[in-house]
Structures are given as structure tokens and as C-alpha cells.
Amino acid sequence: LINDFSAALEKISSEDWISFRARLWEFEDFVEHWLEEARKCPAGPVADNMKTVLHTLKDVAPNLKLVRGDGFESAHWADLFRKLGIPKVDLASLTVGHFVQASSKIVEASEDLKQLNARASGEVSIREALAEVKAWALDTHFSLTEYTERDRTTPLIKEWKDLTTQVSDMQSLLGSLKESAWFQPFAEEVHSYESKLAQLDECLGQLNVIQRKWVYLEPIFGRGAMPHEAARFDRVDADFRNLLLSVADDPRVLSILKTPNLKELLSTVLDQLERCQKALADFLEEKRQKFPRFYFIGDDDLLEILGQAKNPEVIQAHLKKLFAGIHKVAFAGAEGESKAIASMISLDGESVPLVSPVQVTDQVEVWLQSLSDLMRATLSDALAGALRSRETDLQRSSQQVLLVSEMIAFTADAEAALAQGGGGALDKLKATLVQRLNDYTQLETDSALVQTKLKALLLDLIHNMDVVDQLLAARAGGAADWTWR
């Protein structure tokens, strides 16, 4: 029996530890089996020695899990061998027998071994986290798109939110490692990555702002606006494009940190772009101060007007935003040749000739102010003429002039009737209005524009008749009567 036990013990001791550690239950079965056999053995020194060995192995069996070495690095194995007095041995040569011989020390050092396993486990978590950060640093690339303007292409960064979120996640992951009791051996590597991520976070924040400002300003300066600031923008433009072109050559996110003097470069570019933008804002504000209707439109539209002040298509596109009643204008002479505005046209197609043409010049705020002044002068002259003639010319008079002149005439007629004491005079005015209503309703026309004017006149006429009815009902007898006022 002793010989069989010795042979069985030698056999299991010869097993290589790395493969056997996954089958520790076999060791426990081995001990239980031979303990059962030992109980059957006659009493004596040999049997007692066998039982002593088996009880030692029984004590060590549950502690073998402490020397499995899962997640152990070379430093952990060296520490384990030192604690158990095992000679330094390659893992390929490590056997179950090494731990059988150190059974007593395994039991005695169980608390130290638990600490060693906790340390190894904690360090595994840190290594895995660092491996994740390393993989992210190697594999994460900028997502780029191409921006083409002035026959040149510039790579631009997109998906900023996803990228900054990833950087924040990596920073949080590294920060969480500091809470580990086993952090110290990795402190230098963690601090290195933290420094890189902090630089990257700051760089991305500035670069995002720079890119948005550049995309806004590039088309403006590209078409020659503000030549006195062009030199400044050209320098910034060159620096920005060189940086983005280098990013396109090596799109790995952390590679941007290799750019020489990156922090100073970004600060300078951002400062110069802000100066360009401020100069642009001051320039536009100056133009708006000269012609306040420019406040009705955005910077892009205003810049287009200023840059192409004599382009008829640009003029037509933006005039409707500056003047609510002007849908477009008509130029004197042949289309595309003349630079003088001869008339203004409403959305309904109603054309009102200006009293004199407006010359379109490079000083856009000057000729637009002239257009505004002549618009008022034209309508004022037309209204004065309509009031003098007291005729309703649906064909030639503009709708605005017709309606205003009709209301002024009605007001004058009503006050004249009230000055005569109301009553009969108001009855005559009412009869006149009814007759005019009949005349209007009997008019026939195929012109959509005349029909629009006629509908507006009829609405005002019906309102005026209602006003006269109210005056009659209230027995108004003078212009100072409360009902009239």
C-alpha cells in the first residue's frame, strides 16, 4: 500500500503545474482516496507516517487555489517562490511536486498568499485598463471630410462630440485606476497617458472653435471682402490648412500632439481668427449704422450684398428682405446692361415707376438709401396727385395709393358732412358710398391685379359705410363728436 501511495504521489507530483491548476479537484480526490485507504491500513509507524503526509496534503488542498497563479506576472511568481522557499524555476518546469514539498509553508503563509493574489488581481485590472487606453491611442483616428472652396480642398474634422466623449471616457478610466491599492507600480505610465489626454482635450477644444471660425470666415475673405484684413487671414489660413493636411497624412488622434509648438500654434491661430472676426463684425456694424435696414438680414446676406453690390441677381435676391413691399425691381434699359433701378415691383406684379432712377454703385448703403428715399417720394407724389384728381384709376394707380387716397377723401367728406350738422349731410354721404359700391361691383375686368385692388377698395368702402351708419345712429352733429373721434 505504501509503495502504491508513493507511486501515485510521485505521479501526481510530476504533473506540470500550469495545466494541472485547472484541475485542482483531482488533487482533493487523490487525498480523499488515499485517506480512505490509510484507514484500512494496520496500525504502525509506516501507516502513521502515511496518514501524517496525507493530513498535511489535506490541509494544503484548499489552499492550492492561492498558488494557481492566475494573472501572475514574473514579479508575482518570484514573490510566490520566495515566500514558499521554492528555488527559482521556469513556469514550463514548474510541477505539482514543487507545491507538495512546500505544503506546510503554503498553509502557514495563506494570508500572505491571499494578499499576493489580491495584488495580482488588482494589477490585472490596471493592466487591462491600460491596454484599453493603449489600443484606443493606436486605433482611434480622426473622422475627416473634404471642404472644397476656390479650387482647393481642405480636410476638416467631423464627429467632434463622439471624439471628445471618448477622450473624456479615457480620462475617467485612468482616473479610476488611482483608487486601486496596487496603483503605484503603474503610476508613471498612467501619468504619461493622463498628460497626453489632457493636452489632447485642450487641443480638440481649441481646434473645434478654430475650425468653425475658419469655415465661416474663409468664404468671406476668399471672395475679397475686407482687403485690409486679407493679409492677416491669409497667414491664419496657411497655418490652419497645414495643420489639417498633416492630420490627414496621419489621422491617428494622438499623432496631432507631435506637431511642433502645437499649443502656441493653436493659441495664435485662434487669436488671429478672433481678430479677423471682430474686424468683420465692426465693418458690418458700420454698414448697418449707415443703413439700418441692414439689421433685417444676417451677416452672410449682408456680405454678399456688399461684395456684389452691382450684380442684378444679388440685388433681386436680397431687396425683398430689406423692403417688405418690394418683391423685385426693374432696371432701365436692356437687362444686364443698365445699372439704374427704374421701378419697384410688388409680389402681385404691381409696378411703380420711381420719380427718378436710382444709380447702382459700389457704395451699396448709399444707393439703397437713395432707393428708400425715392420710394417714399414716389408714393408721396402719387398720393398727392390722386388727392388732387379725386379719381379712382384702377389701372395706373398703385393699390397703396388708391386705398390711402380713398380713406383721406372719405375722412374729408365725413368731416364736411358733420360740419353741416350731420343728419341729412350724412345721409347724402351714405348714398354716395352706396352708389360707389354699386359702381365697383359692376366693374368687369380680367386683370388679376385690378381684381386685387378692387377687392381691397370694396372692403374699405363697406367699412366706411358702417362708420357712417354709426354716426347716424349716434346722431353725431360735429367733427368734435365723441363717436367720430
Side-chain angles (χ1 to χ4, degrees), residues 94-394:
L94 186 64
T95 64
V96 176
H98 286 97
F99 295 107
V100 169
Q101 293 173 11
S103 296
S104 298
K105 291 184 178 180
I106 291 175
V107 175
E108 293 171 5
S110 61
E111 290 302 319
D112 288 343
L113 295 178
K114 289 179 182 177
Q115 288 294 321
L116 181 60
N117 274 270
R119 170 187 155 198
S121 177
E123 290 182 1
V124 165
S125 299
I126 295 176
R127 284 193 192 90
E128 289 175 349
L130 283 174
E132 183 180 345
V133 175
K134 289 177 185 176
W136 180 87
L138 290 172
D139 299 337
T140 304
H141 293 65
F142 284 109
S143 180
L144 301 174
T145 185
E146 291 187 345
Y147 174 87
T148 302
E149 187 78 15
R150 291 189 289 162
D151 297 326
R152 63 178 190 172
T153 299
T154 305
L156 296 181
I157 299 170
K158 61 179 182 178
E159 299 179 6
W160 287 97
K161 185 176 180 181
D162 290 344
L163 183 56
T164 53
T165 299
Q166 291 176 32
V167 172
S168 178
D169 289 345
M170 292 299 107
Q171 288 178 308
S172 298
L173 178 59
L174 290 175
S176 68
L177 300 183
K178 297 179 181 179
E179 300 174 3
S180 172
W182 322 111
F183 168 73
Q184 198 54 41
F186 306 92
E188 185 176 348
E189 187 175 5
V190 169
H191 290 325
S192 174
Y193 275 110
E194 279 189 321
S195 176
K196 290 178 180 178
L197 288 173
Q199 293 178 52
L200 181 62
D201 189 40
E202 182 181 4
C203 161
L204 294 178
Q206 286 186 306
L207 191 54
N208 188 8
V209 176
I210 288 171
Q211 181 172 290
R212 284 190 283 108
K213 289 182 180 295
W214 181 87
V215 169
Y216 170 67
L217 293 172
E218 198 279 337
I220 296 170
F221 284 91
R223 59 177 180 251
M226 301 180 63
H228 58 287
E229 288 290 329
R232 184 200 303 275
F233 183 80
D234 287 344
R235 292 192 297 271
V236 174
D237 178 72
D239 290 340
F240 174 77
R241 293 189 72 249
N242 288 337
L243 177 60
L244 267 294
L245 288 170
S246 68
V247 167
D249 290 338
D250 184 0
R252 290 176 299 172
V253 170
L254 282 182
S255 294
I256 195 174
L257 298 180
K258 298 177 184 177
T259 305
N261 303 315
L262 178 63
K263 185 175 181 179
E264 292 77 8
L265 173 65
L266 292 177
S267 297
T268 301
V269 170
L270 181 57
D271 176 68
Q272 295 301 306
L273 282 174
E274 287 176 343
R275 290 174 184 268
C276 289
Q277 191 166 10
K278 184 178 185 304
L280 174 64
D282 292 343
F283 172 70
L284 296 181
E285 180 62 24
E286 178 185 349
K287 295 298 182 180
R288 287 182 169 119
Q289 290 286 341
K290 291 181 178 179
F291 187 64
R293 284 180 182 265
F294 281 151
Y295 284 109
F296 297 161
I297 59 177
D299 291 351
D300 292 343
D301 289 342
L302 177 52
L303 285 165
E304 186 175 11
I305 292 174
L306 296 174
Q308 302 187 57
K310 300 173 75 173
N311 186 330
E313 292 183 1
V314 174
I315 293 172
Q316 299 287 22
H318 295 294
L319 275 179
K320 66 187 76 173
K321 303 173 186 175
L322 297 172
F323 301 95
I326 298 180
H327 180 65
K328 60 181 181 179
V329 294
F331 292 87
E335 184 176 352
E337 297 179 0
S338 176
K339 299 299 180 183
I341 297 175
S343 60
M344 47 190 177
I345 303 170
S346 73
L347 182 62
D348 293 326
E350 184 177 46
S351 179
V352 179
L354 298 172
V355 290
S356 62
V358 177
Q359 295 298 323
V360 177
T361 66
D362 290 327
Q363 297 296 316
V364 63
E365 67 275 15
V366 174
W367 69 257
L368 280 173
Q369 186 60 56
S370 297
L371 176 61
S372 179
D373 295 340
L374 281 170
M375 174 180 65
R376 288 193 294 269
T378 297
L379 294 175
S380 177
D381 287 353
L383 178 60
L387 291 174
R388 285 193 299 270
S389 66
R390 293 296 299 265
E391 292 183 0
T392 303
D393 190 341
L394 291 172

Side-chain angles (χ1 to χ4, degrees), residues 411-429 471 476-479:
T411 302
D413 291 343
E415 290 196 341
L418 290 170
Q420 296 174 27
L426 286 174
D427 285 331
K428 289 182 180 179
L429 178 58
L471 292 173

